[in-house]
Amino acid sequence: MIDFHAHLDLYPDPAGAVELCRQNGTYVLSVTTTPSAWLGTKRLAKAAPRIRTALGLHPQVAHQRKRELSLFDTLLADSAYVGEIGLEGGKEWKPFFSDQVAVFDHILKSCEQAGGRVMSIHSRQAATDVLNMLEAHPKSGTPILHWFTGSQKELARAIDLGCWFSVGPAMLKSANGRKLAASMPKDRVLTETDGPFGMLQRRPLFPSDAALAIPMLAELWALSTQDVEALVRGALTSVGELAGPQIWKGMYVI
Ligand code: MN
């Protein structure tokens, strides 16, 4: 099981959530929403080598947390993964869009200077702006567009720009999500839940629920579930290699 975008620190019992993931053997990219949450969230998973903690600054809090960019830059040297970052174009957050752009631009520049990072990126109602900024920072690393909801045209551009994707059961419940996933390059797709925000049947998803995406992808791609599992495992290994051998040595050979 691979959940490449979950908020372990935002479950009601974060330590319990980590322990369950450890027992289940789930590979998790544990994303954070503020730089000040990173060290504590990372510490939670110190006995769980399959959990990797990404340094993030979520676009929905960019205007409140932009002062934490200096902390972000300090911590970046120790984090192979960055996320959740990106832009949020929903009308509730539109008044803060210029702050979001300034924060995301700063982060992409910092990642470029640091030699590139694996980045889990939010692009809801802002896919074109996100892609413009990624194009302007080609050395920022490997972008993984999480829960992509753009148009087919934006998807085609994202693929051309070398983006990867993480898709989950909640996204694949919608007709548009399925249509997008059907057009994604099969070797650049990871599974995710976005739990506890990602929900299914009014229940917050747990990282092990990322497995629910496998049969859904198998149907869309006309492949067996075993083939899809192998593809997703392969994508995890490739992304791990991109994150740097010093981080991944001896790991994720599955
Ligand atoms: Mn998220």
Side-chain angles (χ1 to χ4, degrees):
M1 280 168 296
I2 296 164
D3 184 351
F4 214 70
H5 184 110
H7 298 265
L8 291 179
D9 60 335
L10 301 180
Y11 282 91
D13 174 12
V18 163
E19 179 53 21
L20 255 180
C21 289
R22 202 187 59 76
Q23 285 171 15
N24 292 338
T26 312
Y27 294 91
V28 183
L29 185 69
S30 168
V31 296
T32 55
T33 53
T34 65
S36 50
W38 186 69
L39 272 177
T41 306
K42 189 179 170 213
R43 211 170 288 136
L44 277 177
K46 64 177 188 290
R50 290 184 175 186
I51 300 177
R52 296 292 158 133
T53 310
L55 173 66
L57 207 167
H58 197 290
Q60 292 174 355
V61 299
H63 58 293
Q64 294 161 329
R65 300 301 187 120
K66 56 189 174 190
R67 276 179 218 90
E68 291 189 32
L69 278 174
S70 58
L71 178 61
F72 181 96
D73 290 344
T74 305
L75 298 173
L76 185 61
D78 294 324
S79 184
Y81 299 91
V82 164
E84 175 163 7
I85 56 167
L87 298 175
E88 161 65 58
K91 66 171 189 292
E92 203 178 324
W93 290 279
K94 216 49 192 195
F96 312 111
F97 203 70
S98 61
D99 278 336
Q100 294 185 37
V101 169
V103 165
F104 188 39
D105 187 65
H106 179 108
I107 289 172
L108 292 175
K109 278 187 188 139
S110 295
C111 289
E112 273 187 323
Q113 281 162 12
R117 292 292 184 267
V118 172
M119 304 177 289
S120 185
I121 300 176
H122 178 111
S123 58
R124 197 167 77 102
Q125 293 183 52
T128 289
D129 289 303
V130 164
L131 296 176
N132 288 344
M133 290 177 70
L134 289 173
E135 196 168 42
H137 299 287
K139 296 202 161 80
S140 53
T142 306
I144 299 175
L145 301 179
H146 112 85
W147 201 330
F148 186 73
T149 56
S151 65
Q152 286 286 342
K153 211 173 151 189
E154 287 167 325
L155 174 64
R157 186 177 166 215
I159 294 167
D160 281 348
L161 285 173
C163 291
W164 293 53
F165 304 90
S166 56
V167 308
M171 169 179 169
L172 295 172
K173 276 281 167 200
S174 86
N176 193 49
R178 281 198 298 276
K179 224 179 272 174
L180 289 165
S183 309
M184 287 173 182
K186 297 178 185 64
D187 57 348
R188 275 195 251 157
V189 173
L190 287 149
T191 47
E192 68 160 44
T193 63
D194 202 13
F197 301 116
M199 316 259 289
L200 207 58
Q201 284 148 3
R202 291 191 215 146
R203 181 180 65 84
L205 290 163
F206 195 73
S208 50
D209 294 323
L212 298 170
I214 299 287
M216 297 164 118
L217 288 171
E219 196 190 329
L220 284 174
W221 293 347
L223 291 174
S224 69
T225 53
Q226 289 88 341
D227 286 345
V228 175
E229 262 166 25
L231 280 164
V232 175
R233 275 202 303 271
L236 181 68
T237 305
S238 305
V239 149
E241 284 160 8
L242 293 166
Q246 73 282 13
I247 305 288
W248 289 81
K249 205 171 170 195
M251 288 202 39
Y252 288 31
V253 182
I254 44 179

